[in-house]
Amino acid sequence: CARPVDFDFALREWPSVRHSQSIRHLRHGERAHRGAAEHPMSEARRIEAADSAWVKRYTDVRRLTEVLCRPLATEDYVVQGIPEASPPKWHLAHTAWFFETFVLREWMPGYRSIDDRYEMFFNSYYVHVSDRVPQDHRGIFSRPTVEDVYAYRASVDDAMVELLTTSRAPELYELIELGLHHEQQHQELLVMDIKAHLNQPPFFPRYRSRRNRSPQLDTELGWQACEGGLVEIGHDGDSFAWDNERPKHLVYLEPFEVGTRCVTNREWLQFMEAGGYDDARLWLSDGWSAVRSNGWRAPMYWYFEQGAWHRFTLEGLVELDLDSPVCHVSYYEAEAYARWSGHRLPTEVEWEAFARVHAGSPSGSFLEDDTLDPIAVVGSGARGIDGNVWEWTASAYCCYPGYQQPPAAFGEYNGKFMVNQKVLRGGCCATPRSHYRATYRNFFYPDQRWACSGVRLAR
């Protein structure tokens, strides 16, 4: 289980992780290039091509989850470093559970699980399905073993491939697409959770060896103006999106400006040196209580060692890169920094309107880029609007006008969490690129810091 893995090679081997195809393209076997009419394809050949594409897409995504776990020792699979994070073993099992519960049990006649106890054991929060193990208890069980979990995944994968080659119902493809995006969410969580589990000073173990990277110096913070007015927000179309991204709707915005890049580690150090963590006037009441009760003096994973600030990363303890975006800060910290700087956080509507205007700007790193850490982004205009860090917004997580919660268990996926949380936008260095879009709404509680969360200012 602890074999070293060449992450770059693994991603090259599975190119559809980078370039997923739409449900419509796969469902109908349509040609991706102009001129397809000149070379007509028989209906049987179209069906065969669609089947092959879906099998490849499914296996590519499933294998990448296991690639992310290959650098781990067997003991690492069971650890739950903080209550909010889950052990890698649980992520591996739950993503198999998802396909078994919502696809195989419903769509494959006569399907039998290799262990019916897994229905409860690897359920996350679907109360419609079964009882659950409390999240903060996921790391106290040594059984099922890591070997058992991999056998479970293999059995589910075998059944899924058989189903994909025998059933052609459009509803099935849509359900599997949802399951694959669900797994990609867990790939992002795996990267963040493994980091939380390994963050055990004074050892600072490495998930992988250090990579040589050429440092990039970002330019000074600039501002991009947005004229406001009536803007369309939300997802509309045939491509995949979560229910909380719909429906598309109109919102009126006053004119505003957004920072051309995220706040950097250098700037966060200035906030710290100016006494930002000691000045109650900068903080929301709940934020100040969190600072005092948790002893926050710096972002999560920052350590002052041998006279200098360092950060714990998946490559071990490294010196602080001053020009990279600050990461692993809570909403409370982001809001306090914005107030200290004389600015504010953007609303999620402002953020999306800004991102639409600046689509195609230089992006930050995604999972496929293999940095597993935010990087400085150089170039002109808006930089790093996609990737690098999830960016806190000032918006509460709630439904859009006209939102319809899906029925039964899928109504539990997003709708029931629309309270007491804040929206983040933009994706991060652990987000699969094919999983991301500008309308994506992430959400966390305002005191949480283990996610790859950062700050972009507005005014």
Side-chain angles (χ1 to χ4, degrees), residues 28-346:
H28 299 295
E30 295 169 351
R31 290 297 187 113
H33 305 287
R34 291 184 179 180
E38 300 172 7
H39 303 282
M41 182 186 291
S42 70
E43 182 64 20
R45 184 73 182 89
R46 283 198 180 114
I47 292 172
E48 181 183 349
D51 289 344
S52 299
W54 270 106
V55 169
K56 179 170 174 52
R57 167 113 168 96
Y58 175 83
T59 55
D60 284 352
V61 173
R62 296 283 285 168
R63 286 172 182 168
L64 180 54
T65 306
E66 298 179 10
V67 166
L68 292 172
C69 291
R70 284 185 190 171
L72 301 176
T74 305
E75 291 82 357
D76 295 327
Y77 281 84
V78 187
V79 175
Q80 185 171 14
I82 57 176
E84 302 96 315
S86 298
K89 181 178 76 171
W90 187 89
H91 284 292
L92 288 167
H94 171 71
T95 48
W97 174 95
F98 191 94
F99 285 107
E100 178 178 76
T101 300
F102 298 120
V103 180
L104 295 175
R105 291 186 187 276
E106 299 294 326
W107 287 84
M108 177 169 267
Y111 174 80
R112 292 290 301 272
S113 175
I114 64 172
D115 194 323
D116 290 334
R117 294 172 296 181
Y118 292 171
E119 181 177 64
M120 179 277 293
F121 207 79
F122 296 122
N123 186 0
S124 53
Y125 47 73
Y126 298 93
V127 297
H128 281 76
V129 175
S130 66
D131 291 333
R132 300 155 294 146
V133 173
Q135 181 174 356
D136 58 357
H137 284 50
R138 292 172 184 168
I140 67 175
F141 300 98
S142 60
R143 307 294 178 93
T145 65
V146 174
E147 184 179 4
D148 292 335
V149 166
Y150 273 108
Y152 177 44
R153 281 182 68 88
S155 71
V156 169
D157 288 345
D158 288 345
M160 284 294 299
V161 169
E162 180 182 347
L163 180 63
L164 280 167
T165 55
T166 56
S167 177
R168 299 184 182 93
E171 299 88 349
L172 174 64
Y173 291 144
E174 293 177 358
L175 182 58
I176 292 173
E177 182 74 9
L178 186 149
L180 293 176
H181 280 274
H182 168 263
E183 180 129 358
Q184 289 181 308
Q185 283 186 317
H186 280 270
Q187 290 167 357
E188 179 183 78
L189 286 169
L190 257 174
V191 174
M192 299 190 299
D193 289 3
I194 289 170
K195 187 174 182 179
H197 304 328
L198 296 180
N199 178 42
Q200 302 297 327
F203 298 105
F204 298 118
R206 294 180 184 179
Y207 165 79
R208 69 178 190 185
S209 60
R210 293 186 181 177
R211 307 296 174 90
N212 293 323
R213 301 190 186 98
S214 299
Q216 299 188 76
L217 299 179
D218 206 343
T219 56
E220 292 297 317
L221 175 64
W223 297 90
Q224 293 279 329
C226 295
E227 61 183 16
L230 277 176
V231 296
E232 286 189 316
I233 299 298
H235 194 278
D236 184 22
D238 295 327
S239 59
F240 179 83
W242 300 115
D243 59 282
N244 65 0
E245 300 171 55
R246 303 177 188 271
K248 196 170 187 177
H249 57 287
L250 288 171
V251 180
Y252 180 81
L253 290 176
E254 296 289 344
F256 63 98
E257 294 181 330
V258 176
T260 53
R261 58 161 171 76
C262 287
V263 173
T264 65
N265 292 323
R266 185 190 306 275
E267 291 163 334
W268 201 271
L269 270 176
Q270 295 169 356
F271 169 68
M272 292 163 54
E273 292 166 355
Y277 282 94
D278 298 310
D279 189 348
R281 296 171 297 176
L282 298 174
W283 296 82
L284 297 171
S285 178
D286 286 350
W288 184 244
S289 296
V291 169
R292 307 302 288 177
S293 60
N294 296 308
W296 291 346
R297 309 296 301 167
M300 189 175 182
Y301 302 124
W302 282 34
Y303 296 93
F304 196 74
E305 300 281 338
Q306 299 178 345
W309 282 101
H310 293 69
R311 280 193 320 118
F312 177 68
T313 72
L314 288 170
E315 298 172 3
L317 197 65
V318 301
E319 290 189 18
L320 194 65
D321 179 357
L322 296 177
D323 293 299
S324 292
V326 70
C327 190
H328 298 294
V329 294
S330 67
Y331 169 81
Y332 293 137
E333 291 167 288
E335 204 276 341
Y337 178 91
R339 191 175 303 191
W340 171 80
S341 71
H343 304 112
R344 62 176 175 84
L345 299 178

